[in-house]
């Protein structure tokens, strides 16, 4: 039986293991964290196309019930004027809509689902190198002086992928995204004048900073902000400094941002984000990268996790139907590259619009209502293609 070594137990790794299991390929997931991975980023939007891909391998049950539905986005300008309202991807045939989920819960659910199918997930295994075996297989070397042998190795090891540079030592570095991410949780009861409207993500293009929040049915508020920050520009380093900076950024906006931030307990901090616009080499010999390792998108696309899941399922189909490992990898790249690079480009455009200067802001606020209206009516295909993606597990891949 073919044996796959999967590096990374985030989103793509456990999903690839489950999809391969369904395709009759044995695998083990190796995760460098000593226990279930949490990583940075408080929560993420999990789009319907990601759910569709999980459904193709009957793993959607692991995620259904996590987080809360957010099928609608409402965009406002800093004055509070509604620029438009759009569906965040419509709904699947069973009524499933896009959800917002805590990252740690998504990781945990996928890891548990893989373990529930009897797939070994080994923690504390940090890949540091590989050796090619004479019979055509590959040996993964870990920093605890252990190793594992397999027929193929899948790098699902995220944006700072080690496998990427093992495949191509000249692989590009991640690209800095010019907005930071700050986020947290508050209670609507502690915030004056926040409408309780479950299902909607309110997004404000403020005068100086983008702000998003959603109110859950249970009265929790989940929020994030994207302070613009040039590469190398200094940032606050303490909770007090961050609160002062956010207060100043939102001072002129007609939003509940500052009230929500004031009601947020715990320390506020920020993190930088990066994307990978084009990684020229995805595979070599019996090694391949998928998910963020191959094509990380800025968080603004809301698609990184869903693309990682699509990759995992489609790669398993390619391996199931391919003549051999190298040709399966080529088929995978042919099927995936165009789509994922378009989404990364769309994410970069969204991030840049959040960091717009004065002129950019005026143009954005003037033209966005028209654009959003078109999107809401389905007349704009620039975002629709992201969500409409569908995978039929039983359909053979043309190799
Ligand atoms: C702030 C922020 C907000 C985001 N918001 C969204 C959103 O709203 N919607 C969305 O869809 N996506 C969002 N994303 C992107 C999303 O998190 C990623 O696209 C997704 O997690 C990619 O999954 P992955 O499995 O490829 O990589 P990851 O989830 O990063 O998993 C990689 C795993 O590999 C492990 N690993 C790394 N190196 C090694 C090694 N050498 N050996 C062993 N293990 C290793 C890591 O510990 C990690 O567990 C956001 C990202 C950030 C940073």
């Amino acid at each position: 039986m073919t044996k796959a070594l999967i590096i990374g137990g985030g989103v793509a790794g456990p999903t690839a293991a489950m999809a391969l299991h369904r395709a009759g390929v044995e695998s083990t997931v190796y995760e460098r964290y000593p226990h279930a991975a949490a990583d940075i980023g408080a929560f993420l939007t999990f789009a319907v196309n990601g759910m569709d891909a999980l459904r193709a391998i009957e793993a959607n049950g692991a995620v259904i019930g996590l987080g809360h539905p957010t099928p609608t986005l409402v965009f406002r300008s800093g004055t509070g004027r509604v620029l438009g309202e759009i569906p965040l991807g419509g709904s699947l045939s069973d009524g499933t809509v896009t959800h917002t989920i805590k990252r740690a819960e998504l990781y945990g659910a996928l890891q548990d689902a893989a373990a529930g199918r009897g797939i070994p997930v080994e923690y504390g295994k940090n890949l540091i190198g590989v050796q090619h075996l004479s019979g055509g297989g590959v040996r993964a070397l870990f920093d605890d002086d252990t190793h594992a042998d397999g027929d193929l190795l899948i790098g699902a090891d995220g944006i700072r992928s080690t496998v990427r540079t093992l495949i191509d030592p000249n692989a590009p570095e991640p690209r800095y995204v010019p907005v930071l991410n700050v986020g947290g949780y508050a209670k609507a009861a502690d915030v004056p004048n926040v409408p309780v409207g479950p299902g909607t993500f309110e997004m404000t293009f403020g005068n100086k900073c983008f702000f998003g929040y959603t109110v859950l049915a249970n009265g929790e508020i989940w929020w994030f902000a994207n302070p613009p920050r040039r590469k190398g520009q200094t940032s606050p380093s303490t909770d007090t400094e961050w609160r002062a900076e956010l207060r100043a950024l939102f001072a002129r906006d007609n939003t509940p941002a500052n009230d929500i931030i004031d009601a947020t307990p715990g320390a506020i901090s920020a993190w930088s984000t990066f994307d990978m616009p084009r990684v020229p080499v995805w595979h070599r010999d019996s090694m391949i990268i998928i998910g963020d390792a191959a094509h990380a998108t800025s968080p603004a696309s809301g698609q990184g996790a869903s693309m990682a899941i699509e990759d995992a399922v489609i790669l398993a189909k390619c391996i199931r139907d391919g003549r051999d490992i190298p040709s399966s990898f080529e088929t995978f790249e042919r099927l995936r590259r165009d789509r994922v690079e378009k989404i990364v480009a769309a994410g970069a455009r969204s991030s840049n619009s959040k960091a717009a200067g004065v002129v950019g802001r005026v143009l954005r606020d003037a033209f966005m209502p028209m654009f959003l209206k078109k999107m809401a009516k389905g007349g704009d295909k620039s975002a629709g293609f992201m969500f409409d993606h569908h995978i039929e597990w039983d359909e053979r891949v043309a190799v």
Side-chain angles (χ1 to χ4, degrees):
M1 194 188 218
T2 307
K3 166 94 202 273
L5 311 174
I6 299 178
I7 309 303
V11 177
T15 311
M18 288 188 277
L20 286 170
H21 180 257
R22 207 174 161 83
V25 175
E26 187 191 325
S27 68
T28 299
V29 178
Y30 299 94
E31 167 55 48
R32 74 171 164 198
Y33 277 108
H35 44 74
D39 210 350
I40 54 167
F43 55 82
L44 47 78
T45 54
F46 186 56
V48 281
N49 47 302
M51 191 62 99
D52 173 84
L54 280 182
R55 196 163 64 167
I57 55 165
E58 293 180 7
N60 51 331
V63 173
I64 283 173
L66 295 185
H68 60 105
T70 40
T72 308
L73 293 182
V74 172
F75 288 97
R76 294 177 189 269
S77 70
T79 63
R81 178 169 71 99
V82 174
L83 299 172
E85 180 175 325
I86 53 166
L88 191 48
S91 57
L92 300 180
S93 55
D94 64 0
T96 304
V97 295
T98 292
H99 274 57
T100 301
I101 301 178
K102 288 189 179 166
R103 176 188 294 267
E105 286 181 6
L106 177 63
Y107 278 25
L110 294 173
Q111 288 161 351
D112 289 351
R117 285 164 164 76
I119 296 158
V121 182
E122 293 192 20
Y123 294 99
K125 292 288 178 189
N126 182 28
L127 180 93
I128 50 169
V130 288
Q131 283 171 355
H132 295 281
L133 302 175
S134 50
V138 59
R139 170 167 292 174
L141 306 171
F142 302 104
D143 70 351
D144 60 359
D145 291 333
T146 60
H147 67 262
D149 294 347
D151 300 296
L152 68 149
L153 182 143
I154 299 172
D157 51 346
I159 190 161
R160 302 275 166 199
S161 170
T162 301
V163 179
R164 186 172 61 228
T165 43
L166 291 171
I167 289 175
D168 176 14
N170 298 316
E173 290 292 314
R175 176 177 70 175
Y176 180 78
V177 172
V179 289
L180 300 178
N181 278 272
V182 188
Y185 306 96
K187 289 201 174 82
D190 299 334
V191 182
N193 305 322
V194 171
V196 178
T200 299
F201 229 117
E202 291 273 345
M203 306 281 197
T204 298
F205 287 98
N207 282 294
K208 293 189 172 165
C209 183
F210 189 86
F211 184 77
Y213 75 93
T214 180
V215 186
L216 279 60
N218 68 5
E220 277 180 41
I221 299 177
W222 294 12
W223 66 269
F224 70 93
N226 296 132
R229 193 69 27 135
R230 290 188 309 280
K231 197 173 179 181
Q233 193 184 350
T234 52
S235 288
S237 54
T238 64
D239 172 58
T240 313
E241 286 172 7
W242 262 115
R243 286 177 187 270
E245 162 136 352
L246 292 171
R247 179 154 284 289
L249 285 172
F250 294 119
R252 286 177 50 211
D253 291 345
N254 180 15
T255 70
N258 277 332
D259 291 337
I260 291 174
I261 293 166
D262 286 348
T264 300
I268 290 179
S269 61
W271 56 94
S272 311
T273 47
F274 298 82
D275 67 4
M276 294 292 307
R278 186 176 165 85
V279 176
V281 185
W282 282 6
H283 54 91
R284 183 167 62 84
D285 304 324
S286 47
M287 299 191 292
I288 189 163
I289 44 174
I290 61 172
D292 272 14
H295 49 70
T297 170
S298 105
S301 76
Q303 280 285 340
S306 297
M307 283 200 292
I309 289 172
E310 288 177 9
D311 275 4
V313 176
I314 291 175
L315 177 62
K317 285 185 61 171
C318 292
I319 291 170
R320 179 193 65 189
D321 299 341
R323 280 190 315 279
D324 51 29
I325 300 292
S327 68
S328 305
F329 289 175
E330 274 162 30
T331 306
F332 171 79
E333 181 168 355
R334 174 171 56 75
L335 293 177
R336 295 299 291 163
R337 190 177 273 285
D338 187 45
R339 169 171 171 78
V340 297
E341 288 182 355
K342 262 162 79 179
I343 292 178
V344 176
R349 282 195 298 277
S350 296
S351 289
N352 289 337
S353 74
K354 292 176 175 181
V358 180
V359 177
R361 281 204 304 273
V362 171
L363 291 173
R364 181 191 63 206
D365 292 357
F367 289 109
M368 192 164 269
M370 223 161 39
F371 172 69
L372 293 173
K373 212 174 198 172
K374 206 168 153 197
M375 268 177 96
K377 283 188 184 153
D380 183 281
K381 302 289 175 218
S382 64
F385 84 95
M386 295 188 197
F387 303 106
D388 295 344
H389 190 268
H390 173 63
I391 303 177
E392 261 326 314
W393 177 257
D394 291 331
E395 208 168 77
R396 281 190 67 76
V397 173
V399 287

